[in-house]
Amino acid sequence: MQHELIIRTRLLEELAVRCAESPAVALLGARQVGKTTLARMFVEGREDVAWFDLETVSGRERLRAMPEKVLASLRGLVVIDEIQRMPELFALLRPLCDRPDVPARFLLLGSASPDLVRGVSESLAGRIQFLPVPGLGLDEVGADQMDRLWIRGGFPPAFLARSAGAAGRWQDGFVQTFLERDIPQLGIRVPAAALRRFWMLAAHYHGQVLNVSELARGLDVAPRTARHYLDILAGAFVLRQLPPWHANLGKRQVKSPKLYLRDSGILHHFLGVAGLEGLLAHPRLGASWEGFALEQVLARLGDREAFFWATQRGAEVDLVVFRGGRPLGFEFKATEAPRLTPSMRVALDDLGLAHLWVLHPGRGDPYPLHDRVTACPLARWTPATAP
Ligand SMILES: Nc1ncnc2c1ncn2[C@@H]1O[C@H](COP(=O)(O)OP(=O)(O)OP(=O)(O)O)[C@@H](O)[C@H]1O
Ligand SMILES: [Mg+2]
């Protein structure tokens, strides 16, 4: 596919910082999100680069016979793409990362989280920095492209496709390849048709508190199986489980995570949403906006300390992110002119939010709803705006 290249400046800068700090950095993200392209941009112009593509037979052969020796002999920057194809390399890298003179640094690219690939988290704990690669962000494509990014999602081939039809066909192929090739390649044995049905069902529960038994009943599988499917799709970065925050209150709070499809384009694909008009008239408009805006905020703030909060009595905040120990709140409202709600007041007080952002798809300037609440177009929000 021929198209313009979007320069992902923020990720490239972050990658440079991480590589300078740590002997091993892993770029992790969903299939097709742009990891290899990013790494190519990063090494462009450098001469001390050794590149192993484990997707190819020759790439695997180069490391099969004596991987310790080969890796130990390298100098400069060593890129290993598709690391999930040979997870045993992680254990071999460990002593190489401990060498005091740091003769080589390693940049690993993969599309499965360490939890999904056995042995990885243990073998490199503390030695490797993980840098998540999300789909394209609003700051990368420009505010004027927001509707397109929201509808088609952040996979570059879908976002950049010539037509909505072409984007849909790409998504269809992506889902099929993911189920029939990528998951089996991880050594995971699940029927592709069952996993597809689970994924589609998850789309219908997008933005809702997870109820595993209900999902399992819907598919006529055991709850344990449903959980396994959840772990697979989350570990491959296509689903997100947002954990609940338990504040130390006398109130009954929701204790299950919330479920999201991470890419809004794949969500719309499964829901059969066609175009902006279809989306604006769709009953899941609010949930779609919530998931889209949530991913945009988490791409900028990181998702390590990210939660939602809800009480049994109905007060809630879509997202709470701790920054420097202080809780910031986010509400995502698919309306042009959001207002302060009783639920927001409760959250401000109960959680002691430093600030609450109400992010909406409209235009115009941010405006205050309260001394600690600001309504702001998503396209105008940046982490720097946070007080
Ligand atoms: N920044 C970008 N601008 C334009 N197109 C991009 C960009 N990044 C990736 N693409 C396109 O998206 C597709 C997937 O990119 P790439 O191969 O880099 O992803 P990946 O994450 O390495 O995928 P995989 O996990 O399948 O190896 C390619 O067609 C690529 O040209
Ligand atoms: Mg790749």
Side-chain angles (χ1 to χ4, degrees):
M1 199 187 299
Q2 279 298 316
H3 48 227
E4 85 225 66
L5 208 54
I6 295 169
I7 310 295
R8 309 189 75 178
T9 315
R10 181 166 45 78
L11 278 170
L12 286 167
E13 286 172 2
E14 183 76 6
L15 184 54
V17 170
R18 304 292 184 97
C19 281
E21 278 171 7
S22 170
V25 175
L27 283 178
L28 296 183
R31 277 250 95 124
Q32 290 292 300
V33 83
K35 302 173 296 292
T36 302
T37 306
L38 190 70
R40 288 205 184 287
M41 287 188 208
F42 183 67
V43 305
E44 205 174 70
R46 277 183 77 144
E47 294 193 343
D48 58 341
V49 178
W51 188 292
F52 295 84
D53 181 0
L54 303 187
E55 182 92 319
T56 65
V57 176
S58 60
R60 290 194 296 275
E61 286 306 319
R62 281 166 71 201
L63 283 177
R64 183 131 310 166
M66 286 187 294
E68 286 105 320
K69 273 217 160 56
V70 175
L71 291 174
S73 70
L74 295 166
R75 299 288 174 268
L77 183 66
V78 181
V79 183
I80 307 181
D81 199 353
E82 307 283 350
I83 186 79
Q84 76 279 353
R85 298 293 298 270
M86 288 177 84
E88 62 274 21
L89 291 182
F90 278 102
L92 301 179
L93 286 173
R94 185 181 177 137
L96 301 180
C97 292
D98 290 340
R99 292 176 294 179
D101 48 337
V102 196
R105 292 176 184 277
F106 296 90
L107 178 58
L108 314 170
L109 278 57
S111 47
S113 86
D115 318 328
L116 208 56
V117 186
R118 199 155 311 179
V120 170
S121 7
E122 307 91 82
S123 43
L124 275 173
R127 287 173 179 74
I128 191 163
Q129 292 213 31
F130 294 105
L131 181 61
V133 184
L136 295 172
L138 248 182
D139 59 323
E140 293 167 324
V141 303
D144 59 330
Q145 295 293 312
M146 188 182 78
D147 288 346
R148 184 187 184 123
L149 187 67
W150 180 13
I151 289 161
R152 293 189 180 186
F155 287 106
F159 175 77
L160 293 168
R162 281 173 197 277
S163 65
R169 286 187 290 280
W170 182 85
Q171 285 160 336
D172 218 17
F174 170 82
V175 168
Q176 186 170 351
T177 307
F178 179 93
L179 293 167
E180 292 174 6
R181 193 197 68 185
D182 302 338
I183 292 299
Q185 254 172 18
L186 289 172
I188 297 170
R189 303 269 165 264
V190 294
L195 195 56
R196 177 193 291 270
R197 273 191 291 132
F198 181 84
W199 200 351
M200 285 186 80
L201 191 61
H204 290 273
Y205 284 93
H206 175 87
Q208 296 183 32
V209 174
L210 176 64
N211 181 335
V212 175
S213 0
E214 196 176 319
L215 274 173
R217 267 200 307 280
L219 289 170
D220 205 14
V221 298
R224 185 166 39 88
T225 307
R227 247 179 233 294
H228 182 46
Y229 292 175
L230 264 176
D231 290 340
I232 294 170
L233 295 180
F237 308 106
V238 297
L239 274 195
R240 176 185 293 283
Q241 296 186 65
L242 187 67
W245 176 251
H246 309 287
N248 195 3
L249 303 167
K251 299 189 178 181
R252 293 185 60 196
Q253 299 163 73
V254 174
K255 295 205 176 72
S256 299
K258 267 172 93 166
L259 185 64
Y260 293 94
L261 266 64
R262 293 193 55 173
D263 184 70
S264 54
I266 300 292
L267 171 73
H268 298 149
H269 179 71
F270 280 130
L271 293 181
V273 171
L276 185 61
E277 290 194 355
L279 177 59
L280 293 177
H282 199 276
R284 307 311 311 282
L285 169 71
S288 165
W289 174 253
E290 181 181 322
F292 173 67
L294 173 89
E295 290 299 328
Q296 296 297 320
V297 170
L298 291 183
R300 307 299 303 275
L301 295 182
D303 60 7
R304 291 231 171 136
E305 291 187 278
F307 308 88
F308 77 98
W309 181 73
T311 67
Q312 306 281 5
R313 298 189 56 187
E316 59 174 27
V317 195
D318 293 333
L319 176 66
V320 180
V321 183
F322 286 82
R323 283 207 108 192
R326 298 191 321 156
L328 285 180
F330 295 86
E331 277 285 290
F332 307 112
K333 295 277 185 230
T335 68
E336 301 258 325
R339 288 193 293 202
L340 194 68
T341 63
S343 163
M344 292 179 197
R345 286 185 187 281
V346 174
L348 273 179
D349 290 345
D350 281 5
L351 301 181
L353 297 176
H355 204 84
L356 176 61
W357 293 95
V358 185
L359 299 182
H360 62 85
R363 294 167 199 280
D365 291 322
Y367 56 89
L369 296 175
H370 174 278
D371 63 352
R372 278 184 289 145
V373 185
T374 307
C376 179
L378 176 67
R380 295 284 300 273
W381 181 85
T382 72
T385 4

